[in-house]
Amino acid sequence: MMKKSFWSVLALGFLALVLAACGGGTADSDEGGDSASGGEGDSGETQFVNILTGGPQGTYYPLGGAFATIINNNVDGVEANATSTGASVENMKSLRDGDGELAFVQTDIASYAAEGKLMFEGDQIDNVQAVGTLYPETIQIVTTKDSGIETVADLEGKVVSVGAPGSGTYANAENILSIHDLSIDEDIEARNLAFGDSTSGIQDGTIDAAFITSGTPTGAVESLAATADVNIVKFEESKIQALIDEFGYYAEDEIAEGTYGLEEPVKTVAVQAMLVANSDLSEDLVYNMTKAIFENTDQVQHSKGELITAESALDGVGIELHPGAKKYFDEAGVSAE
């Protein structure tokens, strides 16, 4: 009797499995198919976005963290994070190689990369497109009041830090000196120092002046100002215009009175900090991230946040705009000047 019950139960169980496979299992299979693969954008898979920034002590890194938070809070299905890097030149090459999705870069460096010039000679990058410009990266020629250096022409024969060869700062120094009929190789004693080492050198007297390209106020220059009377070299209006005419990615800028203890504003020039994207990213993804960033700049706690606006985001871009960013700015009624 027990044997018969056992085989009856087993037979009924087998029959139930067969019926499930032939009938109701189709719905289960369809549901499983939807959650595992689904349509593009509906798969439930997370899109990871790595934002390449700069050094931890700079401006790019904290802004990148703020942008990552904004994207994570406003774009469904995306997980963004900010990564510290060597900044502009390294970021362009990393994007080219697929080692990131978004990146901070100076507009002049992006142009050099797109054109295969200077530090990108023989290494043209054609798969990076603009998302939008952010704020000015001011070219500051830093010295002290005691140096006697008042103009760019006064740098002739002096020991001057121009940044590392291949860096954005070095390219800026080269451009500015050339407009003033000076050469890095022939007319100054060039030193290739980082910002902190440059200001330390000015403080201890081993160098006379330094080119520093950075948003103001710059921490390294503030540190120098705490121990010495800082002077920022002024640009003549005619030279500013000549620089803009020769190199389209420069714009006139001014360092405000009181910055570094300055007694009056100082006219200079700037390039722009810009956000760029790998051109392989979808139009929808870049549209959504662009919209999230430029419509939530009030959530950026860094002082540069107030300078980041949709209205100015196409100023000085210099390279092709990503279709997703273009879609957003077209809808917002923003066009390049």
Side-chain angles (χ1 to χ4, degrees):
M1 203 53 192
M2 289 180 62
K3 282 187 177 181
K4 184 174 182 181
S5 297
F6 170 78
W7 289 111
S8 297
V9 170
L10 186 60
L12 287 171
F14 178 76
L15 180 61
L17 288 173
V18 171
L19 289 173
C22 296
T26 303
D28 293 340
S29 177
D30 287 346
E31 281 185 12
D34 286 343
S35 62
S37 57
E40 186 176 347
D42 298 321
S43 66
E45 295 181 2
T46 300
Q47 168 75 54
F48 293 97
V49 172
N50 188 19
I51 305 174
L52 308 176
T53 62
Q57 303 304 315
T59 301
Y60 288 173
Y61 184 69
L63 277 183
F67 286 1
T69 299
I70 288 171
I71 290 169
N72 291 337
N73 290 342
N74 292 276
V75 183
D76 292 339
V78 174
E79 184 174 320
N81 69 281
T83 301
S84 177
T85 71
S88 295
V89 174
E90 178 183 320
N91 288 352
M92 290 298 292
K93 292 180 178 180
S94 293
L95 275 192
R96 185 266 315 279
D97 296 338
D99 294 330
E101 284 68 44
L102 297 177
F104 287 78
V105 63
Q106 289 179 200
T107 48
D108 55 334
I109 300 301
S111 292
Y112 296 148
E115 296 167 7
K117 293 181 178 179
L118 296 179
M119 68 286 289
F120 296 99
E121 187 172 354
D123 191 24
Q124 183 178 9
I125 295 176
D126 60 5
N127 67 332
V128 175
Q129 295 173 314
V131 172
T133 55
L134 304 171
Y135 62 88
E137 295 266 38
T138 305
I139 287 85
Q140 307 164 70
I141 305 178
V142 182
T143 185
T144 63
K145 288 183 179 180
D146 292 340
S147 71
I149 299 171
E150 296 290 339
T151 69
V152 177
D154 292 336
L155 295 175
E156 186 172 5
K158 299 296 194 297
V159 181
V160 183
S161 175
V162 294
S167 69
T169 298
Y170 188 95
N172 299 149
E174 198 168 42
N175 294 161
I176 290 163
L177 290 171
S178 70
I179 288 293
H180 291 80
D181 299 318
L182 297 174
S183 163
I184 285 181
D185 296 327
E186 298 177 3
D187 297 311
I188 64 171
E189 292 186 39
R191 299 290 184 268
N192 306 117
L193 304 176
F195 295 166
D197 292 335
S198 294
T199 53
S200 294
I202 292 172
Q203 184 176 356
D204 64 26
T206 56
I207 66 171
D208 300 304
F211 282 81
I212 291 180
T213 301
S214 177
T216 57
T218 303
V221 186
E222 287 185 306
S223 295
L224 175 63
T227 61
D229 291 329
V230 166
N231 182 46
I232 305 294
V233 174
K234 301 176 180 64
F235 282 65
E236 298 174 11
E237 289 283 357
S238 61
K239 295 299 186 183
I240 291 174
Q241 192 56 53
L243 195 64
I244 293 170
D245 291 343
E246 180 74 18
F247 309 100
Y249 37 76
Y250 286 102
E252 185 171 345
D253 198 12
E254 185 176 87
I255 301 174
E257 176 185 351
T259 307
Y260 313 132
L262 296 173
E263 296 175 356
E264 59 183 22
V266 174
K267 285 190 178 297
T268 180
V269 292
V271 291
Q272 294 276 342
M274 179 165 63
L275 192 66
V276 295
N278 187 303
S279 59
D280 291 339
L281 297 184
S282 74
E283 179 177 322
D284 284 348
L285 176 59
V286 175
Y287 168 82
N288 288 329
M289 292 193 295
T290 306
K291 180 181 177 71
I293 290 169
F294 284 98
E295 293 189 358
N296 291 280
T297 56
D298 60 319
Q299 297 176 25
V300 178
Q301 299 302 310
H302 193 280
S303 60
K304 293 301 178 189
E306 63 188 29
L307 301 177
I308 302 170
T309 67
E311 290 73 23
S312 62
L314 299 184
D315 296 348
V317 165
I319 63 171
E320 185 179 358
L321 198 61
H322 192 285
K326 184 178 186 305
K327 178 182 177 182
Y328 169 71
F329 292 120
D330 284 349
E331 287 182 1
V334 177
S335 59
E337 293 184 352

